[in-house]
Amino acid sequence: MAERAALEELVRLQGERVRGLKQQKASAEQIEEEVAKLLKLKAQLGPDEGKQKFVLKTPKGTRDYSPRQMAVREKVFDVIVSCFKRHGAEVIDTPVFELKETLTGKYGEDSKLIYDLKDQGGELLSLRYDLTVPFARYLAMNKLTNIKRYHIAKVYRRDNPAMTRGRYREFYQCDFDIAGQFDPMIPDAECLKIMCEILSSLQIGDFLVKVNDRRILDGMFAICGVPDSKFRTICSSVDKLDKVSWEEVKNEMVGEKGLAPKVADRIGDYVQQHGGVSLVEQLLQDPELSQNKQALEGLGDLKILFEYLTLFGIADKISFDLSLARGLDYYTGVIYEAVLLQTPVRAGEEPLGVGSVAAGGRYDGLVGMFDPKGRKVPCVGLSIGVERIFSIVEQRLEALEEKVRTTETQVLVASAQKKLLEERLRLVSELWDAGIKAELLYKKNPKLLNQLQYCEEAGIPLVVIIGEQELKDGVIKLRSVASREEVDVRREDLVEEIKRRTSQPFCIC
């Protein structure tokens, strides 16, 4: 290190000598000789370690978002947030990382996907895996027993990303939850109603919401002969039925998880069934399942749920599906998952699910895991899979070649002649102060044609044009960019006229 420091000092001194000779306008031969010495010293020093080459890329499973993509995201968020607020939710926020012990043991087999951080001043921390466990910690910590909340924030999973299908390591979740002791299935039905409202409003295609109950699954596993210790791991296998065949799931349960083939076959008889309230009625008459207390409670609640869903007008969007398991450990009752449907190729075929876009369920025991006295706070909630929705909306806009506005600018302040910068600045300031979204070009004397072209490219609907004659007459020329119609408006009436013309809600296209 000392030798390198000495060499760096020689390079510095030689560099100063070369600069001094250049300032003194010494002969070219003398300067060249000293420059050669400088280069020789730099060669001995080796490459500059501070200027190493590096790859310009985002980390695996993450991405940047362009203004166009952000315009789409904000529109989607607006739809989701307005629905959450319409249903009376408050908003909260929690840290992006939690104590590692807060997250440990809450996600079953998915716990291996949690990002652990290095020891920070004696605290072992992990990046949050979802927004539900931090919410349960928040309730227990603040001794809350009743709240309806939403939370939109990024979560982190050390997963194998599939960017084209909206699967990332860093992504947003949009959660809505109802915590509190209420009569059965009323909050659960509202969560399903919210899910259907949002997916319908986003117009991303036909969807189906699969519904099941963890108590029915556990009762089914019990009567089929699954050992108690294997309930959760077999649950995780069953949850893969929307992606792979029953034979593959059976092979995993038998070959990898040690389940007896006869037990797996009995599970298969149940989990391949799906339908509506009639299937609930059928299973209530099942000679074995109806004798299991847990399953009977779950089926009874599902019957009530379907009554409420009919009143909410969404029963046709709901399917009771015994293969739905949801891999997370903390669910205790009703669980649900919304999937987009692919239109059948042939008449008579059932629509195919092409991916989950929302999910949720009841988790009555999670808050009690954090409470020192084990006090339980019943909770039910949902999460919208916004990353997949963003991908779908982006693909749709690209396919339609629709132009997306990336700003909400309502009017451009332009000038028709030179030397009117002061007037443009004065007017744009008036518009900003009046709450109007306005811009101007950052040139002293821009050409009018360039200003109009900018409006067309940016999708700005209006342009106000200042001219010398208009200033003398006390009017401003207001031009519609789309129709090219122009009217003279008195300066004092300009703000109201712009507001009247721009009262339509902002659209991304």
Side-chain angles (χ1 to χ4, degrees), residues 216-442:
I216 298 172
L217 279 169
D218 287 351
M220 179 187 70
F221 291 151
I223 66 168
C224 289
V226 178
D228 289 359
S229 60
K230 291 185 183 288
F231 273 22
R232 290 287 75 88
T233 186
I234 297 302
C235 206
S236 178
S237 295
V238 169
D239 200 44
K240 296 175 183 176
L241 268 173
D242 62 332
K243 302 178 186 72
V244 299
S245 68
W246 163 246
E247 286 304 317
E248 290 175 89
V249 170
K250 179 184 173 181
N251 289 339
E252 181 181 294
M253 292 194 298
V254 175
E256 296 178 27
K257 299 185 176 179
L259 206 63
K262 285 185 179 179
V263 174
D265 287 335
R266 291 192 70 190
I267 292 171
D269 292 338
Y270 281 109
V271 297
Q272 294 180 80
Q273 297 183 64
H274 57 87
V277 70
S278 59
L279 179 57
V280 178
E281 298 279 8
Q282 179 186 320
L283 292 174
L284 281 167
Q285 304 302 317
D286 184 288
E288 290 185 281
L289 203 59
S290 61
Q291 298 306 306
N292 182 278
K293 184 182 176 184
Q294 272 189 301
L296 198 60
E297 287 177 359
L299 288 166
D301 278 351
L302 275 192
K303 188 176 178 182
I304 296 169
L305 179 66
F306 268 98
E307 290 177 17
Y308 297 158
L309 298 177
T310 301
L311 293 171
F312 281 154
I314 58 169
D316 61 323
K317 293 286 188 185
I318 313 296
S319 171
F320 174 31
D321 192 322
L322 280 158
S323 72
L324 179 67
R326 304 286 296 140
L328 299 174
D329 271 7
Y330 51 63
Y331 288 121
T332 57
V334 170
I335 49 177
Y336 34 83
E337 182 174 271
V339 294
L340 290 184
L341 297 176
Q342 196 173 58
T343 307
V345 177
R346 299 182 187 89
E349 288 186 350
E350 287 191 7
L352 297 173
V354 293
S356 172
V357 287
R362 178 161 285 281
Y363 51 102
D364 290 347
L366 190 56
V367 178
M369 295 174 73
F370 296 110
D371 192 286
K373 296 183 179 179
R375 287 171 294 204
K376 291 186 177 181
V377 178
C379 296
V380 65
L382 65 102
S383 183
I384 303 295
V386 285
E387 300 296 344
R388 180 159 178 77
I389 289 171
F390 293 147
S391 297
I392 293 164
V393 175
E394 283 175 22
Q395 289 168 14
R396 188 185 66 191
L397 291 173
E398 285 175 13
L400 296 173
E401 296 183 349
E402 287 189 22
K403 188 175 181 181
V404 176
R405 281 201 67 190
T406 57
T407 74
E408 295 185 27
T409 306
Q410 297 165 307
V411 60
L412 182 83
V413 177
S415 56
Q417 290 101 22
K418 294 181 178 181
K419 298 182 180 180
L420 291 173
L421 175 62
E422 290 81 2
E423 292 297 334
R424 283 195 294 139
L425 293 173
R426 190 176 290 115
L427 180 55
V428 79
S429 182
E430 286 178 22
L431 297 180
W432 288 333
D433 291 345
I436 290 171
K437 297 163 185 172
E439 283 188 69
L440 79 166
L441 296 193
Y442 303 135

Side-chain angles (χ1 to χ4, degrees), residues 13 15 21 48 102 194 210 216 226 320 503:
L13 292 171
L21 289 172
D48 187 347
T102 300
I194 289 167
K210 299 177 183 180
I216 298 172
V226 178
F320 174 31
S503 58

Side-chain angles (χ1 to χ4, degrees), residues 50-339:
K51 293 182 179 178
Q52 291 179 349
K53 289 184 179 179
F54 58 92
V55 179
L56 282 171
K57 65 184 286 291
T58 59
K60 187 178 180 182
T62 66
R63 63 184 287 200
D64 293 322
Y65 291 91
S66 68
R68 185 179 189 274
Q69 290 167 326
M70 286 305 298
V72 174
R73 290 169 75 88
E74 287 191 346
K75 185 68 174 177
V76 171
F77 280 141
D78 286 346
V79 169
I80 293 169
V81 170
S82 65
C83 182
F84 289 165
K85 289 183 175 180
R86 187 163 63 245
H87 286 263
E90 303 170 287
V91 62
I92 70 163
D93 195 13
T94 60
V96 73
F97 46 81
E98 295 275 350
L99 294 177
K100 184 178 179 179
E101 63 191 42
T102 300
L103 305 182
T104 301
K106 311 300 189 301
Y107 302 106
E109 293 183 6
D110 286 346
S111 291
K112 62 181 180 291
L113 303 181
I114 294 173
Y115 271 110
D116 291 331
L117 304 177
K118 287 186 177 180
D119 186 305
Q120 302 292 324
E123 290 187 332
L124 290 175
L125 307 173
S126 298
L127 292 176
R128 61 186 173 206
Y129 178 89
D130 68 1
L131 301 179
T132 307
V133 171
F135 173 55
R137 189 267 306 152
Y138 174 87
L139 291 176
M141 190 171 146
N142 291 283
K143 296 181 172 57
L144 296 174
T145 58
N146 192 314
I147 189 174
K148 186 190 292 185
R149 81 85 166 92
Y150 75 89
H151 187 187
I152 296 178
K154 286 183 176 180
V155 299
Y156 300 85
R157 297 185 183 179
R158 199 162 46 84
D159 205 349
N160 289 321
M163 312 282 273
T164 54
R165 290 186 285 124
R167 190 183 180 112
Y168 302 92
R169 287 180 167 177
E170 175 193 63
F171 58 94
Y172 273 100
Q173 281 193 337
C174 301
D175 281 19
F176 175 99
D177 293 85
I178 301 170
Q181 188 73 52
F182 303 107
D183 287 337
M185 296 298 103
I186 301 174
D188 310 65
E190 184 173 10
C191 284
L192 287 164
K193 174 67 172 172
I194 289 167
M195 193 180 280
C196 289
E197 282 182 15
I198 288 171
L199 295 178
S200 297
S201 298
L202 291 171
Q203 299 178 345
I204 54 175
D206 290 336
F207 62 90
L208 180 72
V209 182
K210 299 177 183 180
V211 173
N212 199 3
D213 195 296
R214 270 290 175 82
R215 293 167 296 177
I216 298 172
L217 279 169
D218 287 351
M220 179 187 70
F221 291 151
I223 66 168
C224 289
V226 178
D228 289 359
S229 60
K230 291 185 183 288
F231 273 22
R232 290 287 75 88
T233 186
I234 297 302
C235 206
S236 178
S237 295
V238 169
D239 200 44
K240 296 175 183 176
L241 268 173
D242 62 332
K243 302 178 186 72
V244 299
S245 68
W246 163 246
E247 286 304 317
E248 290 175 89
V249 170
K250 179 184 173 181
N251 289 339
E252 181 181 294
M253 292 194 298
V254 175
E256 296 178 27
K257 299 185 176 179
L259 206 63
K262 285 185 179 179
V263 174
D265 287 335
R266 291 192 70 190
I267 292 171
D269 292 338
Y270 281 109
V271 297
Q272 294 180 80
Q273 297 183 64
H274 57 87
V277 70
S278 59
L279 179 57
V280 178
E281 298 279 8
Q282 179 186 320
L283 292 174
L284 281 167
Q285 304 302 317
D286 184 288
E288 290 185 281
L289 203 59
S290 61
Q291 298 306 306
N292 182 278
K293 184 182 176 184
Q294 272 189 301
L296 198 60
E297 287 177 359
L299 288 166
D301 278 351
L302 275 192
K303 188 176 178 182
I304 296 169
L305 179 66
F306 268 98
E307 290 177 17
Y308 297 158
L309 298 177
T310 301
L311 293 171
F312 281 154
I314 58 169
D316 61 323
K317 293 286 188 185
I318 313 296
S319 171
F320 174 31
D321 192 322
L322 280 158
S323 72
L324 179 67
R326 304 286 296 140
L328 299 174
D329 271 7
Y330 51 63
Y331 288 121
T332 57
V334 170
I335 49 177
Y336 34 83
E337 182 174 271
V339 294

